[in-house]
Each structure stands twice: as C-alpha cells, then as structure tokens.
C-alpha cells in the first residue's frame, strides 16, 4: 500500500475526482462541465478585531459561492484553525450537490474563518462574526446566499449574523441565515436535523439489506452536534451505540453506551469524552473506526478514511455524517469490500433540508410543529435515498457516484433551461 499523499488529503481534489467520474458517465458537454466544476465567486476577507486585551488582530475569512443555478447559495460558516480556501471551495461544491440530491431549491456556498474558537472569548467570537458578516453584507441575503452553522459555529453565531445583516439593511431579516435560535425565527427540529437525517438513511439502508434496528451495532466518530444527536436518536430507536469519539479520543464498549449519560458527561458536566466513567476502552479517535460493526458513522471531519486505512474498516453500512470523511482514493477499497455506502451529500443532507424549511417558515412568517418538520424531512430523505439507490442499481455504479449523478444532472438541466447570460 502506498503512503497517503497530500494530494489525497486535498478535499478539493477529492470532490473534483468524484465530480469527474459522474460528469463522464453523464456525458456532460465540455462547457457545461467547466461551468459546474468551478465556483461562481470567491472572496477573501480580512477581519480586524480588538482582542479582549485591547490588541488588534487580523483574521482571514472566506466565502465561496459555488452555484446559484437552482436558487440562492446555501451553506455553513466554519470557524477552525485549519480552514483553507481549497477546503471552503470543496465544501461549497458539496453544498451544491447536496441541495440538488435532496431537490431543495438552493445552490451551494460555504464560508470559513481561520481561527480557533476554543481560544477566543465569546465577545471576541461575536466581533469576528459581526465583522465577517458586515464585510459580506452585499453577498448575503435571503435570495442571494444564506449561511448556516458548521464546525465551530452555532445558534448564537447565527443570531449575530442575523442581527448584523439586519442592521445593515435596516430591517429585521430572519431568512438571511438558518440554524438560528427558535426565538429568532429558527425552526423546530433544526438542531437534531442532521442526526435525524442520518438515522433515516440508516433505516432505509437496513430495510434494503434486510437487517433489523434492534441491537444493530453503530460506531459514531465525532460528538459535536451531528454525532451526539445521531447517537441520542439512534439509541432511542433501538440501535446499539458501541463506539464513540471526539477530539479528545475514542471509547469502545461492545455492550453499548448509555447515551443520555454520555451526553450529560460531555455537554452537562463539560468533561472529556474518553474519561466517561460509564464503561468502555479508551483509544484514539481513529481507532474506533476499525472495530467490526454494522454501521459506521464518521461524523467528525474530513479525511478520516484514506487509502492508508480503508482496508481496516469492517462495517456493513458506512453512513457519512461529516463532509468528505472518506478520500476519493479510498472509494474503490470501500466499494471492493462490499460496504453499502451512504455518501455525505445524502447522509448529512438532513441539516440543510431543515435549513430550507427554516427559510420557508421565515419567509412566510408561519411556523410549523416539530412533528410537521420531521414528517417533511422523512419524505425528503426517503425519496432521495430511493432515487440514489435506484440509480446506482440500474446503472451499476456505487451509491456515491449515483448521488453525484442525480445531483449534477439536476443542476445541468436547470442550467440549460436558464441558458448562459451574456
Ligand atoms: N453545515 C451544514 C452542512 O454542511 C448545514 C448547511 C446549511 O444548513 O446550510 O450541510
């Protein structure tokens, strides 16, 4: 096995590699191919803020609008020390394909600021968020580009985005951002939506593979919003969570974790996950990926499953909660192992789907019950799963490439109908 190269770990290249395979299968003509491959706009913003000690520091931020062919740009804002323009570009393109796969009327975008939110005070984070939003006040807008949370940002960050934008346009504009607190036009069920969507995909995969939920073993890498909500909902539904991990490390317990206790440990008591006293073998966050299990959910960050370790993955279903957790170089290894893959652009699309519901509710000024949100989400996830899997079966491609094909085809059709403005 060859060593994992930096090329393999470049997520933009990973996204591009899958796009190219799908575009070839679709016979996309050259011009359309280039149009869809490259982002529509990119901007770098330099964000000066006064630190709490009075010193000025300048942070770098990005926003990439990959496509607005099917609707306004949509996608989160990431605050992390390793954010790069290539990463934001890849994540923006993935948002285009994700929104198209679940057929919601958005394009794709993404933003990021190079910073470590764990080392900044709440006031400093507020200043970064406000200045970033102010710099992008002409880019953002309910009909232009609608941000949302991602790694390192949360409901509070989105409230600051909403307020800053609203002050600039001189009217309260809730639909400019999603993932907001309920008090500010957020949607019921948004916080749980990505985890719930993941579970809905797993339910569909189990039905397909004639497996049962009860006792079905699940390993979840990542215990942020996505991983922890997936763990809670899946355990409630009868799945058995046997492995978990966060940035501090991993834990494995073949008897299954008491998830509410674990959540209380991490979020209530704010203790490191691997120190959980409720049982389990401590290990690295990577090691949890390699235990035999029915379902593996990488819900942490990119590049966790690579050509260097994919042969050690021993699951029946790989359901991607993070964006880009598997490199394109690992795709073939996973496929050859006969693993049923639920690719990121389908697996984690529950989040943006309920973001869409939030945007719709904000625009109509009429809010739905949680059961209504969840029912609509179920419809979207079931239909999208079915379309992707049916395409994969009838065309003899894996589920990932099928998802890309379904998505690219939708965007290409919309593009042809709109034509090229000149
Ligand atoms: N950051 C999430 C994602 O990657 C949500 C995006 C959104 O809701 O716009 O899908």
């Amino acid at each position: 096995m060859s060593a994992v190269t930096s090329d393999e770990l470049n997520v933009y290249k990973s996204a591009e590699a899958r796009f190219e395979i799908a575009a070839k299968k679709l016979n996309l003509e050259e011009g359309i191919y280039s149009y869809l491959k490259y982002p529509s706009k990119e901007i770098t913003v330099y964000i000066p803020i006064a630190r709490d000690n009075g010193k000025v520091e300048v942070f770098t931020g990005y926003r990439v609008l990959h496509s607005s062919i099917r609707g306004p740009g949509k996608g989160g804002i990431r605050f992390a020390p390793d954010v790069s323009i290539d990463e934001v570009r890849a994540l923006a393109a993935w948002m285009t394909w994700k929104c198209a796969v679940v057929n919601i009327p958005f394009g794709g975008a993404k933003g990021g600021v190079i910073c470590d939110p764990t080392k900044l005070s709440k006031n400093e984070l507020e200043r970064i968020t406000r200045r970033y939003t102010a710099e992008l006040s002409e880019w953002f807008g309910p009909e232009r580009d609608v941000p949302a949370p991602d790694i390192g940002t949360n409901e509070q960050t989105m409230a600051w985005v909403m307020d800053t934008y609203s002050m600039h346009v001189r009217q309260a504009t809730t639909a400019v951002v999603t993932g907001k607190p309920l008090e500010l036009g957020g949607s019921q069920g948004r916080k749980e939506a990505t985890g719930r969507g993941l579970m809905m995909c797993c339910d569909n995969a189990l039905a397909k593979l004639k497996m049962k939920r009860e006792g079905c073993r699940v390993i979840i890498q990542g215990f942020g919003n996505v991983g922890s909500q997936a763990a809670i909902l899946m355990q409630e539904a009868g799945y058995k969570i046997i492995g978990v991990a966060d940035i501090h490390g991993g834990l494995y317990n073949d008897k299954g974790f008491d998830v509410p206790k674990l959540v209380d440990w991490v979020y209530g008591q704010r203790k490191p996950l691997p120190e959980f006293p409720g049982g389990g073998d401590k290990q690295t966050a990577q090691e949890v990926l390699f235990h035999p299990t029915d379902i593996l959910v990488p819900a942490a960050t990119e590049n966790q499953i690579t050509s260097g370790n994919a042969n050690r993955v021993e699951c029946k279903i790989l359901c991607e909660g993070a964006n880009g957790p598997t490199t394109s170089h690992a795709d073939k290894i996973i496929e050859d192992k006969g693993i049923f893959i639920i690719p990121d652009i389908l697996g984690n699309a529950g989040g943006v789907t309920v973001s869409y519901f939030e945007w719709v509710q904000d625009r109509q000024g009429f809010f739905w019950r949680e059961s209504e949100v969840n029912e609509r989400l179920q419809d979207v996830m079931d239909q999208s799963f079915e379309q992707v899997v049916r395409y994969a079966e009838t065309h003899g491609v894996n589920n990932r490439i099928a998802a890309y094909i379904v998505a690219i085809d939708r965007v290409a059709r919309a593009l042809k109908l709109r034509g090229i403005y000149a």
Side-chain angles (χ1 to χ4, degrees):
M1 192 185 312
S2 55
V4 175
T5 60
S6 59
D7 245 28
E8 172 170 356
L9 300 179
N10 181 324
V11 278
Y12 186 66
K13 294 207 165 133
S14 258
E16 208 176 66
R18 278 91 173 234
F19 172 78
E20 260 161 39
I21 298 173
K24 251 197 207 112
K25 297 232 183 248
L26 268 173
N27 261 330
L28 271 196
E29 60 193 76
E30 184 84 27
I32 305 291
Y33 167 89
S34 303
Y35 193 137
L36 298 180
K37 180 169 160 176
Y38 298 107
S40 157
K41 291 184 196 172
E42 299 181 350
I43 189 167
T44 302
V45 290
Y46 296 97
I47 308 161
I49 64 139
R51 297 292 301 261
D52 290 345
N53 63 11
K55 291 213 168 94
V56 174
E57 199 172 322
V58 182
F59 292 85
T60 304
Y62 308 104
R63 185 76 184 171
V64 174
L65 175 69
H66 175 261
S67 167
S68 52
I69 293 170
R70 298 180 70 251
K74 187 82 195 82
I77 303 171
R78 177 171 289 197
F79 283 1
D82 55 355
V83 162
S84 68
I85 184 69
D86 260 359
E87 181 192 44
V88 178
R89 252 182 218 141
L91 290 162
W94 277 328
M95 286 309 302
T96 302
W97 313 134
K98 194 184 299 187
C99 293
V101 139
V102 290
N103 209 3
I104 57 176
F106 285 134
K110 201 81 177 194
V113 176
I114 306 172
C115 68
D116 184 349
T118 63
K119 299 206 169 84
L120 292 158
S121 72
K122 188 171 174 190
N123 285 332
E124 290 168 336
L125 286 169
E126 176 171 355
R127 290 196 282 274
I128 291 177
T129 307
R130 287 191 182 279
R131 185 66 185 244
Y132 175 78
T133 308
E135 291 292 348
L136 291 168
S137 61
E138 277 106 36
W139 281 53
F140 289 153
E143 301 288 354
R144 291 200 182 103
D145 180 355
V146 184
D150 197 77
I151 294 173
T153 57
N154 55 30
E155 288 188 346
Q156 176 62 73
T157 326
M158 300 307 118
W160 293 325
V161 171
M162 180 261 171
D163 183 66
T164 307
Y165 180 86
S166 297
M167 287 296 126
H168 276 254
V169 299
R170 311 220 64 76
Q171 52 187 346
T173 312
T174 50
V176 69
V177 58
T178 60
K180 299 180 298 296
L182 281 177
E183 294 83 347
L184 286 176
S187 174
Q188 299 285 350
R190 174 62 184 86
K191 214 170 96 208
E192 301 80 11
T194 312
R196 193 177 293 281
L198 277 172
M199 179 173 77
M200 289 168 172
C201 286
C202 290
D203 287 346
N204 274 300
L206 290 189
K208 178 109 221 118
L209 303 177
K210 305 206 172 9
M211 290 163 63
K212 280 206 291 288
R213 261 182 178 181
E214 281 61 40
C216 176
R217 297 164 305 162
V218 182
I219 294 177
I220 302 177
Q221 187 206 37
F223 214 67
N225 180 48
V226 179
S228 63
Q229 295 294 341
I232 296 169
L233 293 167
M234 291 180 91
Q235 187 176 57
E236 275 171 7
Y239 289 91
K240 183 167 143 190
I241 315 300
I242 59 165
V244 285
D246 74 355
I247 39 163
H248 303 289
L251 268 185
Y252 175 78
N253 182 347
D254 62 2
K255 293 190 187 62
F257 290 100
D258 182 331
V259 174
K261 280 206 180 124
L262 183 62
V263 169
D264 178 60
W265 177 256
V266 174
Y267 286 99
Q269 305 184 44
R270 304 209 155 268
K271 298 270 177 56
L273 178 143
E275 309 299 325
F276 179 57
D281 300 331
K282 266 198 223 180
Q283 49 206 260
T284 66
Q286 272 257 312
E287 273 170 272
V288 288
L289 297 170
F290 309 126
H291 294 278
T293 184
D294 297 305
I295 301 181
L296 179 63
V297 181
T301 186
E302 294 120 32
N303 294 334
Q304 297 303 297
I305 301 173
T306 65
S307 61
N309 64 23
N311 63 336
R312 295 180 60 201
V313 171
E314 285 186 64
C315 61
K316 300 193 177 91
I317 298 165
L318 175 64
C319 182
E320 296 181 331
N323 292 308
T326 309
T327 68
S328 60
H329 294 233
D331 281 347
K332 174 101 174 51
I333 305 171
I334 296 291
E335 189 179 347
D336 289 348
K337 290 185 112 184
I339 293 172
F340 187 92
I341 174 140
I342 303 169
D344 47 6
I345 57 172
L346 173 65
N348 70 31
V352 75
T353 301
V354 177
S355 273
Y356 165 55
F357 298 158
E358 181 174 333
W359 179 80
V360 168
Q361 292 170 81
D362 287 340
R363 282 158 45 111
Q364 62 187 7
F366 180 73
F367 291 84
W368 313 339
R369 288 187 311 276
E370 189 178 349
S371 56
E372 223 170 318
V373 171
N374 292 344
E375 263 168 47
R376 290 182 200 264
L377 175 64
Q378 182 90 56
D379 281 351
V380 169
M381 296 311 295
D382 288 354
Q383 253 184 52
S384 313
F385 181 94
E386 162 65 23
Q387 279 168 359
V388 167
V389 170
R390 195 172 350 112
Y391 193 98
E393 284 171 359
T394 48
H395 292 78
V397 292
N398 65 43
N399 291 344
R400 188 190 305 282
I401 295 304
Y404 273 76
I405 293 178
V406 168
I408 295 169
D409 190 38
R410 273 194 187 127
V411 182
R413 282 170 196 269
L415 168 58
K416 283 187 191 144
L417 287 167
R418 283 181 69 157
I420 308 286
Y421 177 79

